[in-house]
Amino acid sequence: MAFYREFEPSLLEGLVAVFVTALVVSLSLLGVGLFAGGSVASNLTLSDPVHPSASICASDSVGQASTGCTVPATTGFFVDNWGAVSGWTPLVFAGVFVVWLLAAVALYALAAVPADDVVFGDVLAVAAWGVVPLAAEALTTLALVGASFGQQSLSGPLATALTTVVVGGSVIRPFVSMGAAVWQGYVWAAGVYVVTDLRLVTASAAGGVVAALTVVFGGL
């Protein structure tokens, strides 16, 4: 709460914070695509599970046309990992702004019921700072993905160290998301408490509810 008491929430500064967060989240997604595009084979081969074995197809006593031997046993196809990820980048960038606006509307709705003279512009500025934890979560995810692909392409002590990071990362990843949600809830609760006449318990409930909603809808 000291942040809001020392620096009065500004809509312009909040907009800058949301823009920077959207940029970081989008670049982190591109980083994931860069790791995937450079580390995962783009030319893949898919085997037909019902295709006759090579020994059956090599037998002259069996009609090849009736057993499916004339159909290739494998099918090659190309996967554009980079294109698949980069195509989502504009939507992810815009999505951060959508999260901001929806959080602001939800906070305003929850605060306006028990409080008087709630200014939407103040709540909008407060909601902006609550999306900043998404940047930290995105950077953490990027680091874990990078360690995962690095572990696959390296050997020796470095690979062992990265394996430890990957295994540990798979365990702590849910806690990273929960930590970001708690951070969001704290920022929103403190901000609503400062810019409204709500009691601390009510403001905390409002921030916690909105943070919980971001976790629920973010997991869909």
Side-chain angles (χ1 to χ4, degrees):
M1 298 178 189
F3 172 81
Y4 291 113
R5 294 193 184 280
E6 186 175 351
F7 305 100
E8 183 177 350
S10 165
L11 186 56
L12 178 59
E13 293 175 351
L15 180 61
V16 173
V18 174
F19 178 82
V20 172
T21 299
L23 193 62
V24 170
V25 172
S26 301
L27 291 177
S28 297
L29 178 64
L30 287 176
V32 171
L34 184 62
F35 282 123
S39 302
V40 178
S42 295
N43 294 298
L44 304 178
T45 301
L46 181 64
S47 300
D48 185 356
V50 298
H51 193 276
S53 64
S55 59
I56 294 179
C57 291
S59 175
D60 294 332
S61 60
V62 179
Q64 293 185 357
S66 62
T67 59
C69 293
T70 57
V71 179
T74 59
T75 302
F77 60 96
F78 176 76
V79 177
D80 185 5
N81 303 293
W82 171 258
V85 173
S86 60
W88 282 94
T89 304
L91 293 178
V92 171
F93 184 87
V96 175
F97 286 86
V98 173
V99 170
W100 169 39
L101 296 176
L102 291 179
V105 171
L107 287 171
Y108 180 79
L110 292 172
V113 173
D116 297 325
D117 299 328
V118 179
V119 180
F120 182 71
D122 292 340
V123 177
L124 194 62
V126 166
W129 292 102
V131 302
V132 173
L134 297 178
E137 182 181 4
L139 291 174
T140 303
T141 301
L142 175 62
L144 294 176
V145 170
S148 176
F149 283 112
Q151 174 255 345
Q152 296 176 17
S153 59
L154 297 174
S155 59
L158 183 57
T160 303
L162 287 178
T163 300
T164 304
V165 173
V166 172
V167 174
S170 63
V171 175
I172 68 172
R173 181 67 182 84
F175 295 98
V176 172
S177 298
M178 292 303 299
V182 171
W183 185 2
Q184 286 181 310
Y186 172 78
V187 171
W188 286 330
V192 169
Y193 176 72
V194 170
V195 301
T196 67
D197 58 356
L198 288 176
R199 295 182 353 183
L200 180 58
V201 174
T202 307
S204 300
V209 168
V210 177
L213 289 176
T214 60
V215 174
V216 171
F217 288 103
L220 297 180

